[in-house]
Amino acid sequence: MSYQALYRVWRPQRFDELVGQQLITTTLKNAIITKQISHAYLFAGPRGTGKTSAAKIFAKAVNCHHQKDGEPCNKCETCRAITAGRLNDVIEIDAASNNSVDEIRDIRDKVKYAPTQADYKVYIIDEVHMLSTGAFNALLKTLEEPPANVIFILATTEPHKIPLTIISRVQRFDFRRISAQDAFERMKYILDQKKVTYEEKALWVIANAAEGGMRDALSILDQVMSFSDNHVKLADALLVTGSVEKQQLTAYFSQAAKGDSGAALQSLADLLAAGKDGHRLIEDLITLIRDLLLYRESPELLKVEQTGLTDEQLSSMVKDTTPEMLYAMIDVLNETEQEMRFTTHPNVYLEVMTVKLSQVDQHPVAQQSAPAADSQEVDQLKQQVDQLQQELNRLENSNTTKQAPVNPATNQVHHHKSNKGRQFNVHQIYPILEKASRDNLNRVVDLWPDMLSMLQPIDQGLVEFTKPVAACADGVVLSFDQAFLLERANDSSLADSISKCFSKLVGGDFAVTFVPTDKWPQIRQDFLVAHGYLKGKQKQSPSQHQPKASQQVAVQEEKKSADNGVVGKAEQLFGSDIVKVEDD
Ligand SMILES: [Zn+2]
């Protein structure tokens, strides 16, 4: 007989065998005992926590004529047919592979026929969040008018992707991660039954590596057992588990802690390529940091063997970090977790997180207290306001200046080139600024959501990190906060794609170019100098002339009515910024 995977052989056939979900199994058993069965259930939770097993046990219990205390007998023909997947009335659908509207319409058409072999027809729709909007709408119609003797069990790892209209029509159960303790106990039980000996530490290592999934725990146990048939050794468990993911994770953390963002980004790519879930990665990093803090403060409280790491690894990571760094890192991780909640492109957020984590030690003052960061920001804004005020003052006095032709020599100076490639190109930016206006920028902002909806999925990840900062009728300047994302945008077809979308929206050609956010104020000023609106250094010092923002706005209004072309130009470019400072 060929070898059968542990998780198949030991798949729970009764609610009692379902590990770590007692609250749910008790509730479901009571529903069967008291015959208070809902027509639709949602089983939500991480993978490998027993959702589909529970669904199949429920399908059996509800149809088994010999059920006892809410448990199926597993012996009658109905139970055995369901276990084997050959009962026509229990229909399993994997939404990941059948996500078309037609599939669900098919259900809608057939659902009205009574069950043929069993009492209840049970539809189990796995990974239900993968359904298309159209399919959800078709499913909703069925849930709104549920036929008699039909039960829907929807299972998902990502309940937040399911429309609220569906959620409101189902009874929801949240399956939690299996605790390491529960996974440990279950493996112990199975090995005892199989008369296989084991080192308990090995089972702990596996239980931790499984990350709350019982199926994963048994798969790893299978691999460890393949090293030696009748004995599970710690060394083998470490070889199978520790060597892969935990090592990748600690490598990633160490690289970020040392400020090596390039290496950390590569490790991140490896982790994601290996199928690591982003949210789980953040949780693991927080756990790792918590372990490091504990190890630093009171190592005796940390059960090192349960971390899956060695003393050497822990002490080396502790050496590379300070508690302040670790707390700042937790902040970055929490922020990213929040931001990622509503995006369909989590990977770019994880990359930004990686760069931020790598920069944590470079600004020790800024992280330690939020007010320090705020006042720093305020200082920066004050400086910008001063700078802009000076420009306005000077413009007021030079009302005869006409638009100067672009000075190629000046342009050359500002044509920056980074080591990895150009960051921005004034030859693309200046033609847009020459015709820029606030109305055009507002129009681009208004059209932005339409543009996003037209963009190909491949471009949607990066575009979440850029925003329009200047626009003319047929072009826009977009800024990126993160240099590495700007570089990637420049290397990609993003500008072309955005350009095509705007062309369709406004008609005619549309230019798109990128700038780094931190260099944008300088680029604008250089533009004014290059076009003769400004002549280098100002006579007035910033401290001598610091009117309040409201006064500045008043000055602007005055200028507007004066209809001075040059001033109008500056106002087009800078006016909104000054008003914005006042708002802040
Ligand atoms: Zn039965």
Side-chain angles (χ1 to χ4, degrees), residues 60 64-67 72-76 78-79:
K60 280 191 279 190
C64 175
H65 290 177
H66 311 276
Q67 67 89 2
C73 77
N74 280 314
K75 288 182 188 129
C76 70
T78 307
C79 281

Side-chain angles (χ1 to χ4, degrees), residues 285-348:
L285 286 169
I286 290 174
T287 306
L288 175 64
I289 292 173
R290 193 203 56 198
D291 288 347
L292 290 179
L293 285 166
L294 199 59
Y295 190 77
R296 173 188 286 278
E297 301 306 327
S298 36
E300 70 281 0
L301 288 179
L302 186 69
K303 286 184 183 164
V304 173
E305 74 271 13
Q306 286 193 28
T307 64
L309 296 168
T310 62
D311 272 303
E312 295 75 41
Q313 285 177 312
L314 285 164
S315 54
S316 142
M317 279 187 279
V318 161
K319 199 157 56 72
D320 286 340
T321 52
T322 63
E324 289 75 20
M325 264 177 78
L326 295 174
Y327 287 119
M329 285 174 139
I330 289 179
D331 287 345
V332 171
L333 293 166
N334 282 333
E335 276 166 28
T336 309
E337 173 80 44
Q338 292 297 323
E339 288 166 353
M340 268 170 51
R341 199 158 282 183
F342 301 105
T343 183
T344 45
H345 304 278
N347 290 6
V348 193

Side-chain angles (χ1 to χ4, degrees), residues 80-381:
R80 287 191 305 172
I82 294 173
T83 303
R86 54 181 161 79
L87 192 87
N88 292 334
D89 292 324
V90 175
I91 301 114
E92 289 185 73
I93 294 163
D94 183 2
S97 54
N98 301 287
N99 58 356
S100 72
V101 188
D102 293 344
E103 287 286 335
I104 300 295
R105 285 210 182 115
D106 194 45
I107 295 178
R108 210 178 65 183
D109 294 340
K110 289 182 183 161
V111 81
K112 52 182 178 267
Y113 301 117
T116 53
Q117 296 161 290
D119 298 344
Y120 287 92
K121 222 174 188 177
V122 183
Y123 287 94
I124 301 170
I125 308 181
D126 203 9
E127 299 298 344
V128 70
H129 63 273
M130 302 284 278
L131 290 180
S132 64
T133 311
F136 268 127
N137 287 337
L139 178 62
L140 186 61
K141 289 243 158 51
T142 312
L143 293 180
E144 277 169 343
E145 296 157 30
N149 297 337
V150 170
I151 299 168
F152 281 91
I153 303 177
L154 316 177
T156 183
T157 49
E158 302 187 52
H160 57 279
K161 289 186 181 165
I162 297 173
L164 287 175
T165 45
I166 301 268
I167 301 258
S168 66
R169 285 184 169 76
V170 299
Q171 211 178 95
R172 175 171 171 166
F173 292 93
D174 284 295
F175 285 62
R176 53 190 188 98
R177 288 212 169 82
I178 316 293
S179 69
Q181 182 77 41
D182 283 342
F184 173 83
E185 297 293 345
R186 178 73 177 163
M187 285 188 284
K188 224 166 112 130
Y189 172 81
I190 292 173
L191 293 175
D192 286 343
Q193 296 289 307
K194 284 175 70 79
K195 308 224 180 309
V196 172
T197 54
Y198 48 85
E199 295 172 28
E200 288 206 350
K201 274 190 176 179
L203 300 192
W204 275 117
V205 166
I206 298 168
N208 276 299
E211 304 189 331
M214 198 61 229
R215 188 170 59 209
D216 288 347
L218 295 184
S219 295
I220 298 170
L221 183 58
D222 255 334
Q223 290 177 50
V224 176
M225 283 168 65
S226 70
F227 282 86
S228 62
D229 262 352
N230 275 311
H231 187 60
V232 177
K233 283 189 295 188
L234 174 63
D236 294 340
L238 284 172
L239 197 70
V240 171
T241 61
S243 55
V244 199
E245 204 181 283
K246 202 82 191 188
Q247 303 310 315
Q248 275 182 325
L249 190 77
T250 50
Y252 170 84
F253 177 85
S254 298
Q255 288 153 352
K258 286 174 185 155
D260 188 352
S261 62
L265 283 168
Q266 186 53 52
S267 294
L268 173 72
D270 294 343
L271 278 160
L272 295 174
K276 183 78 181 174
D277 170 74
H279 293 281
R280 186 68 203 183
L281 172 66
I282 291 176
E283 273 179 49
D284 286 352
L285 286 169
I286 290 174
T287 306
L288 175 64
I289 292 173
R290 193 203 56 198
D291 288 347
L292 290 179
L293 285 166
L294 199 59
Y295 190 77
R296 173 188 286 278
E297 301 306 327
S298 36
E300 70 281 0
L301 288 179
L302 186 69
K303 286 184 183 164
V304 173
E305 74 271 13
Q306 286 193 28
T307 64
L309 296 168
T310 62
D311 272 303
E312 295 75 41
Q313 285 177 312
L314 285 164
S315 54
S316 142
M317 279 187 279
V318 161
K319 199 157 56 72
D320 286 340
T321 52
T322 63
E324 289 75 20
M325 264 177 78
L326 295 174
Y327 287 119
M329 285 174 139
I330 289 179
D331 287 345
V332 171
L333 293 166
N334 282 333
E335 276 166 28
T336 309
E337 173 80 44
Q338 292 297 323
E339 288 166 353
M340 268 170 51
R341 199 158 282 183
F342 301 105
T343 183
T344 45
H345 304 278
N347 290 6
V348 193
Y349 284 89
L350 294 171
E351 288 167 344
V352 172
M353 173 187 88
T354 303
V355 172
K356 284 183 181 167
L357 288 176
S358 308
Q359 290 168 345
V360 148
D361 61 335
Q362 290 167 16
H363 309 285
V365 182
Q367 324 142 8
Q368 268 163 12
S369 62
D374 282 351
S375 72
Q376 216 176 37
E377 211 174 340
V378 170
D379 284 346
Q380 215 174 355
L381 286 171

